[in-house]
Amino acid sequence: MTSRQILRVMSQLGAASRNQLEARISSICTENAVSTSGRLGSSYIPRPWDGVHHRQFATGFSRIAEHEKGQTKFHGYYAGGFYINNVQVPGSVIAQSDMYMMWRPRTMAEVTPESLVFLELVRPTPEVVVVGCGATSQPLPKDVAAYIQGLGMRVEVLDSRNATGYFNVLNEEGRVVVGVLLAADPSLPLA
């Protein structure tokens, strides 16, 4: 399974739990494992009759997205994305206490209530939504601010550099926080 397939699965799941992510990856491994050659690209995917269970390989992929001792932590940022739990993540991200994923919007103009609908699924309900606007702080569109506040969440709008630190502090304090952060330079490719 390639990293592109993992990212596609993550985008399909939205705000699904880590267990659901592992189950979906396992499902894809199973689907691909029944090919006649037993190979997917250059990486070996075991066939059921090989005597090796496919979940052993799927858990290797779950470790890529595995949280660090139960917490998501921003270790840095660069123009095109972020370093989360020592993994380079290109583009915009959504982060909560124990998981993170890529997020489609690249600019504040693309941030809409529809792009934040996952906030309705997060349990427990976040106290704070930290919005990282990219290189500079920008006002949050009124409909987006009203949507988040209508869900009973407080909004903090910062540039993405400061948003990473603020998210880390709140998360380390054990607060229920969600970070939605845009990369500093939206024109860079996601490679």
Side-chain angles (χ1 to χ4, degrees):
M1 176 179 278
T2 66
S3 60
R4 287 183 192 261
Q5 288 174 311
I6 292 172
L7 295 175
R8 187 178 70 224
V9 168
M10 290 178 82
S11 68
Q12 289 171 351
L13 290 175
S17 70
R18 188 168 143 262
N19 291 338
Q20 289 172 316
L21 175 63
E22 285 185 27
R24 181 66 181 125
I25 290 172
S26 176
S27 167
I28 288 174
C29 288
T30 302
E31 291 166 15
N32 292 324
V34 295
S35 69
T36 55
S37 67
R39 298 214 176 260
L40 175 64
S42 61
S43 60
Y44 176 72
I45 303 294
R47 296 167 292 201
W49 52 86
D50 286 339
V52 179
H53 195 270
H54 65 274
R55 278 197 64 85
Q56 292 172 339
F57 290 86
T59 56
F61 293 114
S62 68
R63 286 190 189 117
I64 292 171
E66 188 173 334
H67 41 82
E68 186 177 280
K69 299 288 184 202
Q71 287 199 338
T72 299
K73 185 171 185 176
F74 286 90
H75 289 276
Y77 64 94
Y78 64 103
F82 303 90
Y83 295 101
I84 305 173
N85 294 349
N86 294 320
V87 175
Q88 183 177 349
V89 182
S92 304
V93 297
I94 297 167
Q96 63 182 88
S97 64
D98 62 352
M99 71 176 290
Y100 62 92
M101 62 191 110
M102 295 178 73
W103 187 40
R104 187 175 307 275
R106 305 284 309 263
T107 65
M108 281 302 286
E110 296 173 2
V111 178
T112 63
E114 291 78 28
S115 70
L116 296 170
V117 74
F118 70 90
L119 291 173
E120 296 177 26
L121 305 173
V122 177
R123 294 292 178 261
T125 302
E127 301 171 41
V128 181
V129 177
V130 179
V131 180
C133 301
T136 60
S137 184
Q138 304 169 34
L140 196 60
K142 291 186 187 310
D143 60 333
V144 173
Y147 172 73
I148 295 172
Q149 291 170 346
L151 295 173
M153 301 171 199
R154 199 178 78 203
V155 182
E156 294 291 336
V157 181
L158 304 161
D159 61 281
S160 290
R161 180 178 64 89
N162 288 313
T164 59
Y166 190 60
F167 174 89
N168 286 344
V169 168
L170 292 175
N171 198 27
E172 287 172 5
E173 288 177 352
R175 307 270 299 274
V176 183
V177 61
V178 169
V180 291
L181 292 87
L182 300 171
D185 187 352
S187 65
L188 292 177
L190 293 177

